[in-house]
Amino acid sequence: MDVTGNQLPFSFPLLKNQDIIQCLSEAGIELSLGELTEPNRHKERVKTVFTQLVQLNFGFGDKDIFADPIPKSMKTKVSTLPYPELH
């Protein structure tokens, strides 16, 4: 049910801020209440938290996440095409 009492098609638990902070802490990710409640003021920290969550859940490292997805050999081939900026 939502806050108005209407039945929702999907249900998921709504966590309190302290529960979210505790879960993240147990996963080794530290986040303050201010960073959680005011993400626009802490954009870099929130980006770091999301990166840590991806690393934790999918097993990626920094090198994998921030790597250039286009191999160098492919870039060389693309540069030989007419209008390479379109590819």
Side-chain angles (χ1 to χ4, degrees):
M1 255 186 236
D2 66 8
V3 293
T4 63
N6 295 327
Q7 185 64 32
L8 298 174
F10 302 104
S11 178
F12 55 91
L14 297 177
L15 299 175
K16 292 180 172 51
N17 290 337
Q18 287 301 342
D19 294 333
I20 295 170
I21 291 170
Q22 180 182 350
C23 288
L24 289 172
S25 179
E26 289 172 5
I29 301 171
E30 298 303 322
L31 187 69
S32 72
L33 181 61
E35 292 166 337
L36 178 64
T37 58
E38 299 178 78
N40 286 335
R41 291 186 56 206
H42 306 280
K43 289 180 182 180
E44 285 303 311
R45 179 66 188 126
V46 171
K47 180 180 176 182
T48 300
V49 168
F50 278 113
T51 301
Q52 290 174 310
L53 287 168
V54 168
Q55 290 171 331
L56 180 67
N57 289 299
F58 297 105
F60 295 146
D62 285 343
K63 189 170 63 173
D64 301 320
I65 292 173
F66 299 110
D68 189 350
I70 303 172
K72 195 171 201 171
S73 61
M74 182 65 78
K75 288 181 182 178
T76 304
K77 292 175 184 174
V78 168
S79 67
T80 63
L81 295 172
Y83 309 107
E85 65 276 4
L86 298 177
H87 302 281

